[in-house]
Amino acid sequence: MLSAALYLVIGLVLILAGASALTDGASAIARRMGVSDLVVGLTVVSFGTSAPELTISILSSANGNAGLAIGNVVGSNIFNICAIIGVTALLRPVPVGRGLISNEIPLVVLSSLVLLAMGSSVWLDGASSAVLTRVDGVILLLFFAVFMRYVFASAKDGGRTGDERDVVASAMPLWKSLAYTLGGLAALIWGGDRFVDGASAIAGGFGVSEAVIGLTIVAAGTSLPELATSVMAALKGRTGMAVGNVIGSNIFNVFMVLGASATVRELPFAGIGMPDLLLLSAVSLLFWLSGRIIGHNVITRAEGAVFVVVYIVYMCFIVAYA
């Protein structure tokens, strides 16, 4: 148990250091290339910080641990919206550009609804149990390909994806920017892995189910890179990267991570129930409404507090019924 606690501490230190380095390096590369922070957040930052989810879900799928594979993604996406957007907005109100509201955030809602539909096969087509089939996996990967085509098309058009392009020249040398970015990603991935190992060992000692571990400990652990990166980006005034990181991660998690995992092996939803999938869809929709209607293109501190409270209530619900 002592070694597991040590893994937690080491992992957290690496995650925080890696997040700071990654934010600085990616921002410098974005300014040098004339690409907006939002596009960088939607691609290199979000995919890099989602590497722990990808690794854990694919390995869990290959080992037949479906509850962990799906619970990791569902729990991470709920954490991304409720905890990360919530905490980021509490620190600094988050501007949400019209392009984000019209284009990117609806894709987050779509990814949640697609997963909800696939998890509702028991009611929709009379299946004996809900399963992500290999066909479902291919469909999810096709959605991801369309998303990537859209992002790169937006970058080609000048890097404007809801935010204005940052044209300030980067003061950081290119080699240093690349070193910060790659070193930050490596620290995030390795630190996230250590954290999850320690947390899973502690949780496993208490006899908690696979699905619950995936929805809570593993989901929060693998989302720590996103949380650290978004908070650091917000504190440095890079709100475009903070929001883009969450949006890109959620889309990547459903379409790429679950798509790749389901093609490796069909994934029964196991302990992941309709309440979990419905909550993911609901908070995704609330994320969109917060920017479009409620906050008038800004996610305020009050809205951030609502997201955080929703996550706390959800965690209490899981623990109570574990």
Side-chain angles (χ1 to χ4, degrees):
M1 197 64 76
L2 180 62
S3 62
L6 184 61
Y7 269 21
L8 283 178
V9 174
I10 293 174
L12 185 59
V13 170
L14 285 170
I15 285 168
L16 292 175
S20 180
L22 176 61
T23 302
D24 289 342
S27 294
I29 293 173
R31 291 195 297 272
R32 181 177 296 275
M33 298 179 64
V35 177
S36 71
D37 280 343
L38 178 60
V39 172
V40 175
L42 283 168
T43 53
V44 62
V45 177
S46 63
F47 299 167
T49 56
S50 288
E53 284 94 334
L54 179 63
T55 303
I56 289 171
S57 289
I58 289 181
L59 290 176
S60 298
S61 173
N63 294 329
N65 302 322
L68 191 58
I70 299 179
N72 176 34
V73 167
V74 174
S76 291
N77 281 16
I78 293 173
F79 183 92
N80 286 350
I81 295 174
C82 292
I84 297 179
I85 293 296
V87 170
T88 302
L90 283 173
L91 292 173
R92 176 177 293 188
V94 179
V96 184
R98 291 183 180 179
L100 274 176
I101 294 172
S102 302
N103 301 318
E104 282 80 25
I105 298 181
L107 290 175
V108 175
V109 178
L110 175 64
S111 68
S112 301
L113 293 176
V114 168
L115 187 57
L116 175 62
M118 290 178 173
S120 304
S121 57
V122 174
W123 293 275
L124 295 178
D125 56 19
S128 57
S129 60
V131 176
L132 269 183
T133 66
R134 285 191 170 89
V135 173
D136 291 334
V138 171
I139 292 172
L140 292 175
L141 290 175
L142 289 175
F143 271 116
F144 181 70
V146 171
F147 169 67
M148 289 305 298
R149 175 70 181 87
Y150 162 75
V151 170
F152 285 118
S154 298
K156 269 188 178 178
D157 291 338
R160 300 175 184 270
T161 318
D163 281 0
E164 289 298 314
R165 186 172 54 171
D166 187 352
V167 295
V168 179
S170 172
M172 188 182 292
L174 180 59
W175 70 267
K176 192 174 182 180
S177 302
L178 291 172
Y180 268 48
T181 302
L182 295 176
L185 279 174
L188 283 167
I189 295 168
W190 197 78
D193 187 50
R194 297 283 77 74
F195 183 94
V196 171
D197 283 347
S200 296
I202 292 173
F206 291 96
V208 181
S209 74
E210 220 174 65
V212 170
I213 292 176
L215 286 168
T216 56
I217 301 292
V218 176
T222 56
S223 289
L224 276 179
E226 284 94 332
L227 175 62
T229 302
S230 290
V231 168
M232 290 291 184
L235 290 175
K236 295 174 183 179
R238 299 285 172 184
T239 52
M241 183 178 291
V243 177
N245 178 35
V246 168
I247 293 172
S249 293
N250 276 33
I251 294 170
F252 183 87
N253 285 346
V254 173
F255 292 152
M256 178 62 187
V257 174
L258 278 185
S261 300
T263 55
V264 171
R265 175 180 290 188
E266 294 189 345
L267 299 175
F269 276 80
I272 312 304
M274 289 303 294
D276 306 305
L277 299 177
L278 285 170
L279 179 63
L280 175 57
S281 298
V283 295
S284 298
L285 185 60
L286 183 60
F287 180 29
W288 178 68
L289 291 175
S290 295
R292 184 177 183 85
I293 299 174
I294 303 173
H296 302 292
N297 296 337
V298 175
I299 299 177
T300 64
R301 285 188 170 90
E303 292 162 4
V306 170
F307 280 122
V308 172
V309 169
V310 167
Y311 187 74
I312 292 172
V313 171
Y314 174 59
M315 286 296 100
C316 291
F317 172 81
I318 289 180
V319 171
Y321 291 93

